[in-house]
Amino acid sequence: MPKQVMAKRILFVCTGNIFRSMVAEYALRKQGGTESDYRFESAGIEAKPQTIHPVIRARLVRRGIDPVRHIQRKLTQELIDRVDLIIPMGLDHREWIRERFGRHALLFNQVALDEDMPILDLHEALPDWEHNLDGARRYVESVVDHIWCTAPSFMTRLPRFLP
């Protein structure tokens, strides 16, 4: 009888779990397929109850993903303990994981592109976003597209970062 291999669990982390980490979870799930050796999850360091912004949802729907059933999760020790790899989206998340849980974590772009570069939240990239709604929409769409387009590279490079 063949030995069954357990899927490796990958956890993406951002602030609210309704933008960057959620997009990564769904994009990697979609591109990895149902037969993937990986299980992708996401959580937020704050995860305050919020809805997914319509711009994010619309961009994902264009990619064949409807996150309408997404449930925000807060990052906990229990989640940390059951995953094989933690992937923060921003520098603040990486530092928070190190300080709070004593775990080293690589940024999404480090795994996908070998670049120590965070994926910034909207307010970090565009401090005046509330007065620049067109720029805010373009930035949010560019983040969704970036995560989607780098997912194949992420999948290719992922095994080298796993135990």
Side-chain angles (χ1 to χ4, degrees):
M1 186 169 208
K3 182 180 176 183
Q4 187 174 7
V5 178
M6 293 294 290
K8 296 287 187 177
R9 299 176 83 90
I10 316 305
L11 179 68
F12 299 104
V13 177
C14 70
T15 305
N17 191 219
I18 55 165
F19 181 26
R20 297 164 291 165
S21 65
M22 180 210 56
V23 169
E25 173 188 355
Y26 286 89
L28 273 293
R29 274 188 191 172
K30 176 84 172 177
Q31 293 191 39
T34 57
E35 300 298 316
S36 176
D37 291 334
Y38 306 108
R39 296 294 171 255
F40 298 104
E41 303 177 39
S42 64
I45 63 172
E46 293 178 5
K48 296 174 184 169
Q50 301 173 64
T51 58
I52 298 168
H53 194 280
V55 172
I56 298 166
R57 184 173 180 268
R59 200 62 167 196
L60 285 172
V61 167
R62 284 185 55 194
R63 299 283 189 182
I65 302 166
D66 190 350
V68 72
R69 291 193 176 108
H70 178 72
I71 298 171
Q72 287 175 276
R73 292 193 306 171
K74 186 172 175 89
L75 185 61
T76 63
Q77 185 68 54
E78 180 184 347
L79 279 175
I80 294 278
D81 290 344
R82 70 182 179 130
V83 299
D84 297 291
L85 188 63
I86 305 163
I87 307 289
M89 304 310 276
L91 296 172
D92 53 337
H93 310 123
R94 180 171 67 183
E95 184 63 20
W96 198 85
I97 291 164
R98 188 186 63 73
E99 288 178 1
R100 188 74 168 261
F101 300 106
R103 293 279 299 264
H104 173 72
L106 297 171
L107 297 172
F108 180 89
N109 284 326
Q110 284 179 289
V111 175
L113 304 170
D114 197 27
E115 294 179 6
D116 189 17
M117 179 179 65
I119 298 176
L120 300 177
D121 204 352
L122 175 59
H123 73 276
E124 295 171 308
L126 210 67
D128 70 334
W129 71 270
E130 293 174 302
H131 304 289
N132 182 359
L133 295 179
D134 191 50
R137 179 191 49 78
R138 283 193 314 270
Y139 180 74
V140 167
E141 290 174 345
S142 75
V143 168
V144 173
D145 293 347
H146 170 76
I147 293 169
W148 182 269
C149 292
T150 56
S153 175
F154 185 97
M155 290 294 288
T156 299
R157 294 171 44 86
L158 182 57
R160 73 178 78 164
F161 299 100
L162 288 163

XYZ file of all heavy atoms in Angstrom, residues 5-11 37-38 80-87 103-104 106 111 157-163:
241
model
N 1.098 10.929 1.764
C 1.862 12.110 2.126
C 0.891 13.197 2.595
O -0.099 13.473 1.926
C 2.687 12.621 0.918
C 3.437 13.881 1.278
C 3.628 11.541 0.426
N 1.182 13.763 3.739
C 0.345 14.844 4.257
C 0.662 16.133 3.513
O 1.820 16.442 3.269
C 0.615 15.057 5.751
C 0.185 13.903 6.626
S -1.593 13.657 6.648
C -2.119 15.088 7.549
N -0.377 16.859 3.171
C -0.196 18.136 2.494
C 0.492 19.125 3.425
O 0.243 19.155 4.625
C -1.549 18.688 2.056
N 1.366 19.923 2.865
C 2.026 20.986 3.620
C 1.057 22.154 3.733
O 0.381 22.512 2.779
C 3.308 21.444 2.913
C 4.369 20.366 2.810
C 4.993 20.110 4.148
C 6.175 19.161 3.999
N 6.852 18.936 5.259
N 1.022 22.769 4.910
C 0.106 23.880 5.171
C 0.876 25.195 5.147
O 1.871 25.342 5.867
C -0.582 23.685 6.506
C -1.423 22.408 6.540
C -2.020 22.184 7.895
N -3.240 22.951 8.064
C -4.455 22.497 7.750
N -4.584 21.292 7.250
N -5.507 23.240 7.939
N 0.383 26.123 4.340
C 0.998 27.434 4.175
C 0.007 28.477 4.679
O -1.158 28.472 4.279
C 1.320 27.724 2.689
C 1.963 26.525 1.984
C 2.123 29.009 2.552
C 3.187 25.967 2.610
N 0.465 29.377 5.529
C -0.389 30.406 6.109
C 0.091 31.790 5.687
O 1.215 32.182 5.987
C -0.381 30.308 7.640
C -1.209 31.337 8.394
C -2.712 31.114 8.146
C -0.901 31.271 9.890
N -0.245 19.514 -3.398
C 0.393 18.987 -2.194
C 0.386 20.019 -1.067
O 0.999 19.803 -0.025
C 1.842 18.606 -2.489
C 1.938 17.401 -3.409
O 0.991 16.584 -3.428
O 2.950 17.287 -4.120
N -0.274 21.152 -1.305
C -0.286 22.244 -0.344
C -1.707 22.624 0.033
O -2.621 22.522 -0.774
C 0.413 23.482 -0.923
C 1.794 23.182 -1.422
C 2.067 23.145 -2.787
C 2.832 22.911 -0.540
C 3.344 22.861 -3.251
C 4.104 22.615 -0.993
C 4.351 22.598 -2.352
O 5.603 22.303 -2.811
N -0.500 29.040 14.148
C 0.954 28.985 13.943
C 1.462 27.548 14.119
O 2.269 27.064 13.332
C 1.679 29.920 14.928
C 1.343 31.381 14.646
C 3.170 29.671 14.960
C 2.111 32.038 13.557
N 0.970 26.865 15.151
C 1.453 25.527 15.472
C 1.088 24.475 14.431
O 1.759 23.453 14.330
C 0.928 25.075 16.839
C 1.565 25.838 17.991
O 2.607 26.496 17.777
O 0.997 25.795 19.102
N 0.038 24.701 13.675
C -0.390 23.657 12.739
C 0.027 23.881 11.287
O -0.346 23.106 10.424
C -1.891 23.435 12.844
C -2.724 24.546 12.312
C -4.191 24.235 12.522
N -4.967 25.324 12.018
C -5.983 25.189 11.200
N -6.365 24.002 10.821
N -6.643 26.233 10.785
N 0.810 24.943 11.034
C 1.249 25.177 9.662
C 2.732 24.876 9.513
O 3.489 24.871 10.480
C 0.936 26.620 9.186
C -0.557 26.890 9.224
C 1.699 27.655 9.977
N 3.103 24.620 8.266
C 4.505 24.319 7.960
C 5.297 25.569 7.604
O 6.508 25.605 7.771
C 4.568 23.320 6.798
C 3.925 22.005 7.167
O 4.498 21.293 8.006
O 2.829 21.695 6.642
N 4.599 26.586 7.083
C 5.285 27.801 6.646
C 4.347 28.991 6.812
O 3.177 28.922 6.443
C 5.698 27.660 5.173
C 6.585 28.733 4.579
C 7.946 28.782 5.285
C 6.789 28.473 3.085
N 4.888 30.069 7.371
C 4.139 31.307 7.562
C 4.691 32.329 6.581
O 5.905 32.547 6.525
C 4.295 31.831 9.001
C 3.898 30.762 9.997
C 3.490 33.111 9.194
C 4.392 31.037 11.397
N 3.798 32.960 5.834
C 4.193 33.945 4.831
C 3.503 35.278 5.136
O 2.325 35.470 4.810
C 3.799 33.491 3.404
C 4.326 32.102 3.085
C 4.231 34.523 2.376
C 5.806 32.009 2.884
N 8.848 33.154 15.711
C 9.008 32.416 14.447
C 9.578 33.316 13.369
O 9.158 34.458 13.193
C 7.653 31.889 13.955
C 7.012 30.823 14.804
C 7.553 29.427 14.567
N 7.375 28.942 13.230
C 6.378 28.161 12.828
N 5.444 27.779 13.691
N 6.302 27.742 11.590
N 10.532 32.781 12.640
C 11.080 33.469 11.470
C 10.114 33.247 10.315
O 9.592 32.143 10.137
C 12.460 32.890 11.119
C 13.007 33.420 9.842
N 13.474 34.712 9.725
C 13.145 32.850 8.627
C 13.881 34.905 8.482
N 13.693 33.789 7.803
N 9.290 34.395 6.043
C 9.698 35.051 4.805
C 8.505 35.759 4.182
O 7.391 35.234 4.193
C 10.246 34.026 3.817
C 11.499 33.283 4.252
C 11.804 32.149 3.293
C 12.676 34.244 4.324
N 9.607 34.589 -1.213
C 9.379 33.240 -1.719
C 9.138 33.281 -3.228
O 9.741 32.527 -3.980
C 8.205 32.555 -0.992
C 7.886 31.196 -1.607
C 8.516 32.410 0.493
N 8.918 27.848 -6.532
C 9.981 28.067 -5.550
C 9.625 27.560 -4.142
O 10.503 27.364 -3.313
C 10.325 29.561 -5.502
C 10.940 30.072 -6.794
C 11.074 31.590 -6.823
N 11.590 32.155 -5.596
C 12.884 32.283 -5.289
N 13.799 31.886 -6.144
N 13.254 32.812 -4.142
N 8.356 27.347 -3.863
C 7.877 26.998 -2.528
C 8.591 25.800 -1.886
O 8.965 25.878 -0.703
C 6.364 26.760 -2.569
C 5.667 26.421 -1.274
C 5.908 27.499 -0.212
C 4.171 26.220 -1.502
N 8.818 24.697 -2.596
C 9.433 23.524 -1.922
C 10.756 23.810 -1.243
O 11.063 23.202 -0.204
C 9.603 22.509 -3.061
C 8.564 22.901 -4.057
C 8.460 24.398 -3.968
N 11.533 24.721 -1.747
C 12.850 24.996 -1.131
C 12.752 25.678 0.227
O 13.721 25.742 0.954
C 13.742 25.769 -2.075
C 13.382 27.213 -2.261
C 14.341 27.944 -3.170
N 14.006 27.584 -4.535
C 14.417 28.231 -5.596
N 15.222 29.245 -5.465
N 14.055 27.851 -6.804
N 11.565 26.189 0.571
C 11.383 26.892 1.845
C 10.681 26.040 2.901
O 10.473 26.492 4.013
C 10.595 28.186 1.617
C 11.299 29.132 0.688
C 10.928 29.220 -0.642
C 12.356 29.906 1.141
C 11.583 30.083 -1.512
C 13.020 30.766 0.277
C 12.632 30.856 -1.044
N 10.319 24.840 2.527
C 9.591 23.961 3.443
C 10.507 22.970 4.136
O 11.508 22.527 3.555
C 8.497 23.210 2.675
C 7.330 24.086 2.259
C 6.508 23.425 1.172
C 6.473 24.409 3.473
N 10.127 22.595 5.359
C 10.933 21.600 6.091
C 10.820 20.223 5.450
O 9.891 19.911 4.767
C 10.311 21.606 7.493
C 8.994 22.278 7.380
C 9.015 23.095 6.125
